[in-house]
Amino acid sequence: MTAFCIKNLSVRHQTNAAGAALALREIDLSIAGGEQLALIGPSGAGKTTLLHTLACAHRPEHGEISVFGQSPWALNNHQRHALRGRLFLAPQTPPLPPRQRVVSAVLAGRLPQWSVWQALASLLRPADPQAAFDALARFNLQDKLYARVDRLSGGERQRCAMARLLVSNAEAFLVDEPLSALDPTLAQQTLTTLQQEAAARGATLVCSLHQVELARTHFARIVGLRDGRIVFDARREEVTDAMIAALYANSHDAMIEATDSTDIEAAFAAPMAPDIVPDIVPIIVPHCF
Ligand SMILES: Nc1ncnc2c1ncn2[C@@H]1O[C@H](COP(=O)(O)OP(=O)(O)OP(=O)(O)O)[C@@H](O)[C@H]1O
């Protein structure tokens, strides 16, 4: 089964004027149910925008998107809300209310399954503290069960958000830079736990990462984004160091190279040096509409 399929998709942020640059352009991507892939690319490449688009939070300006076989923007609000309930979007900055107890923050992962009354009741008396404890224990954070969220470190908050993901019953995890505040050991452990959980429940995992080496060691499929476009969509063994260097090369690098050759104008005109343009890996888009 295909979890996500997008075709010739472009997205512009609502706060941007009509003439402003697109955040995503001409994106084709198909992700099978249960597949795990890493999104990499420089800052501003469009990774967050893509994750939010997959989570049905951004309406595309052009193109098609299907999520679990449904076109989210052809559904009514109620149906789209139900579809979103099958997805878990973990944003870069975890949306954890500062004065809340960790136990309530973690159990909020069950909100899509709960009625308003169940949600309110759980705020007063946590519905399933054992589930929250077990999820926190997977990230070695069980001793923080009744701590206040605003007393957690940045890395603890990130792991608390991952524990929230574990208690959800989502069929797809869309995770935006979950390791940015973690030390290398915790980053490895957290990513491994996330992947094991996705594999155990057959959930799809799309994870944006700035730690390229972790992406290359942990994920079989890597998608490189730059300037809102997919530069490559390849199996791990096809991703070369040159492709990574080209993905992250910036106009600053090009300017320094050109300064050596006293050709500054050329540097601004050609932000990516031609000798490091990556081999283009064919992107195969299975028919899914
Ligand atoms: N709310 C917004 N309003 C307008 N433009 C936005 C908004 N959010 C992001 N953008 C723009 O959209 C483009 C893609 O941003 P996005 O956050 O998706 O990149 P990213 O790859 O996730 O970056 P990073 O690695 O720094 O988090 C950027 O040019 C950014 O400036």
Side-chain angles (χ1 to χ4, degrees), residues 16-225:
N16 284 349
L22 292 162
L24 293 178
R25 50 189 95 190
E26 297 162 17
I27 300 282
D28 290 329
L29 188 67
S30 179
I31 306 172
E35 192 172 5
Q36 301 192 359
L37 72 84
L39 284 181
I40 61 170
S43 205
K47 302 179 296 297
T48 298
T49 308
L50 180 54
L51 287 169
H52 284 242
T53 303
L54 294 174
C56 316
H58 286 320
R59 187 174 193 149
E61 184 166 292
H62 296 293
E64 296 168 71
I65 172 164
S66 88
V67 178
F68 300 129
Q70 300 185 70
S71 299
W73 301 103
L75 301 175
N76 63 36
N77 286 345
H78 178 72
Q79 292 166 327
R80 191 163 48 250
H81 185 72
L83 181 59
R84 284 185 184 132
R86 299 171 65 186
L87 312 166
F88 189 102
L89 173 68
Q92 260 176 54
T93 308
L96 306 174
R99 296 172 64 84
Q100 208 171 50
R101 301 276 163 201
V102 167
V103 61
S104 301
V106 171
L107 289 174
R110 296 212 172 141
L111 282 175
Q113 301 151 249
W114 283 345
S115 67
V116 175
W117 295 115
Q118 278 176 304
L120 288 174
S122 184
L123 276 180
L124 297 173
R125 185 184 168 83
D128 190 352
Q130 186 62 48
F133 179 90
D134 293 344
L136 288 164
R138 303 269 303 273
F139 300 103
N140 200 19
L141 211 59
Q142 64 279 15
D143 57 324
K144 301 290 183 189
L145 185 65
Y146 290 106
R148 264 175 51 161
V149 165
D150 57 2
R151 309 263 160 89
L152 300 180
S153 72
E156 287 168 344
R157 270 180 225 198
Q158 270 190 330
R159 286 181 287 147
C160 179
M162 292 301 103
R164 177 187 275 194
L165 176 151
L166 294 197
V167 304
S168 79
N169 68 347
E171 297 160 58
F173 303 152
L174 305 166
V175 189
D176 199 2
E177 292 178 36
L179 315 177
S180 56
L182 303 183
D183 65 52
T185 307
L186 276 176
Q188 285 270 8
Q189 290 168 349
T190 301
L191 191 51
T192 301
T193 303
L194 201 54
Q195 292 191 286
Q196 284 172 344
E197 179 66 20
R201 66 168 90 173
T204 307
L205 172 63
V206 185
C207 183
S208 82
L209 288 173
H210 275 303
Q211 296 86 340
V212 175
E213 283 319 308
L214 276 183
R216 291 173 85 178
T217 49
H218 281 255
F219 289 88
R221 181 178 174 192
I222 315 242
V223 172
L225 272 176

